[in-house]
Amino acid sequence: MSEWFTETLHPWLAQRLRIDRVLFRDKTDHQDLIIFENERFGRVLTLDGVVQTTEGDEFVYHEMMAHVPIMAHGQARRVLIIGGGDGGMAREVLKHRAVEAVTMVEIDRGVVDMSREHLPSLSAGAFDDPRLDLVIADGARFVAETDQRFDIIIVDSTDPIGPGEVLFTAEFYADCKRCLTAGGIVVTQNGVPALQGWEVTNSYRRLGQSFADVSFYVAAVPTYQGGFMAMGWASDDPAKRRHDAAAIDARFAPLGIATRYYTPAIHQACFALPRFIADLMA
Ligand code: SAM
């Protein structure tokens, strides 16, 4: 008889993934952490009953959250990752040799340790890159207190429940603004609009209190069920969001970075929002 993981993100909809082998299951200092194997998606990381990332489709999310802001910025040297404990985001950011320093602020050391042990394909050595500074702390407190400045801030958080809730507040976004260099960009994990539309509306309003140009871009991640996932975008320079594929290709092609989802054409297209998502930016 198969065992199944049932995601509990919504009271009215759930998804199930068959558990073929449990690799880790325990409470960390902050969250319920399970890592298991599934025939189709490979190794799966879940926190507090919610799928965080899988070997089978993580490339979509990590490539889009890393390469879109870095290629749009054009001169990013210092990147801050809030969350990202599995190491996939750091892996993609560190592919950019021009990036000199990546600070990763993850609240739960258990996620890092268990991901290193049971999900090594996600970080793929990122934790050993000399450019990476791993800080085990609350990301909200870090941006409130740090005197460091960053060109890009990637909020690779859980959903706004539990420890992740503080990473969706106007105060957090204002502190992110304080930590950005001129022309800097913030991108956020902002849920699946078809199921969590209020997250787009809330982030649009809260980011708008600190940034002149706020919008979203989209990608479909199979295990973030419900169609397009929204990624929040905030900067003070609208031009950063408006690049055509040719301009991005001129920057991206020479880098020789291998991707499975991100392309310059996708970069241009991902900011084109379906009407129902654009309408959430009320
Ligand atoms: N890709 C996933 C998604 O879209 O939901 C997110 C993956 S990553 C595992 C999310 C990380 O955010 C977790 O490791 C969690 O521990 C971390 N996190 C949650 N709240 C945090 C906080 N306040 N400060 C820093 N990290 C936090």
Side-chain angles (χ1 to χ4, degrees):
M1 182 74 172
S2 298
E3 185 186 3
W4 293 80
F5 170 82
T6 300
E7 184 172 69
T8 57
L9 187 56
H10 308 290
W12 22 258
L13 177 70
Q15 70 173 341
R16 294 202 314 167
L17 291 103
R18 195 182 70 209
I19 297 175
D20 297 330
R21 183 161 71 109
V22 175
L23 298 166
F24 181 83
R25 189 198 312 244
D26 200 353
K27 269 187 177 301
T28 69
D29 293 341
H30 298 275
Q31 302 163 108
D32 284 326
L33 169 56
I34 307 175
I35 301 176
F36 63 88
E37 281 182 347
N38 171 271
E39 183 178 347
R40 168 59 187 82
F41 288 100
R43 295 190 174 189
V44 180
L45 168 67
T46 75
L47 288 173
D48 288 344
V50 181
V51 172
Q52 297 297 309
T53 194
T54 85
E55 286 182 317
D57 64 3
E58 58 86 11
F59 64 93
V60 178
Y61 171 79
H62 291 126
E63 289 179 16
M64 290 301 282
M65 284 279 278
H67 303 315
V68 171
I70 292 175
M71 295 317 301
H73 185 285
Q75 297 179 312
R77 297 291 176 268
R78 296 178 54 79
V79 177
L80 171 62
I81 299 170
I82 304 289
D86 51 78
M89 198 63 68
R91 178 199 76 219
E92 287 304 311
V93 170
L94 289 164
K95 284 181 179 176
H96 293 268
R97 303 310 305 169
V99 169
E100 297 164 354
V102 178
T103 300
M104 180 172 150
V105 183
E106 163 58 55
I107 198 169
D108 195 333
R109 176 173 294 284
V111 177
V112 174
D113 292 346
M114 290 304 103
S115 295
R116 292 192 74 157
E117 181 176 346
H118 299 295
L119 275 169
S121 67
L122 262 71
S123 52
F127 289 117
D128 300 319
D129 190 308
R131 292 175 290 163
L132 181 70
D133 175 25
L134 173 61
V135 176
I136 300 300
D138 175 2
R141 172 168 294 184
F142 179 87
V143 293
E145 297 175 353
T146 186
D147 57 5
Q148 298 183 61
R149 293 296 177 264
F150 303 95
D151 303 309
I152 306 275
I153 300 178
I154 300 172
V155 187
D156 180 14
S157 71
T158 43
D159 289 283
I161 48 180
E165 195 166 2
V166 291
L167 305 181
F168 291 79
T169 64
E171 294 76 16
F172 171 70
Y173 296 143
D175 286 330
C176 286
K177 173 65 178 289
R178 185 186 66 84
C179 298
L180 275 182
T181 55
I185 300 167
V186 176
V187 294
T188 67
Q189 186 280 100
N190 231 102
V192 173
L195 305 177
Q196 304 160 290
W198 59 87
E199 283 189 31
V200 167
T201 304
N202 289 341
S203 292
Y204 180 72
R205 290 174 180 166
R206 295 168 186 171
L207 284 163
Q209 294 176 30
S210 297
F211 294 92
D213 184 55
V214 177
S215 190
F216 296 84
Y217 59 105
V218 293
V221 184
T223 54
Y224 299 165
Q225 67 167 331
F228 275 142
M229 161 180 210
M231 285 151 279
W233 174 280
S235 82
D236 282 340
D237 179 1
K240 289 273 192 313
R241 184 161 53 93
R242 296 196 182 94
H243 290 294
D244 65 25
I248 292 296
D249 190 57
R251 288 182 180 176
F252 189 66
L255 301 181
I257 293 178
T259 57
R260 297 173 61 200
Y261 188 93
Y262 178 86
T263 69
I266 286 277
H267 182 124
Q268 178 179 332
C270 70
F271 286 97
L273 298 178
R275 173 58 60 200
F276 86 95
I277 296 178
D279 287 347
L280 291 169
M281 296 193 289

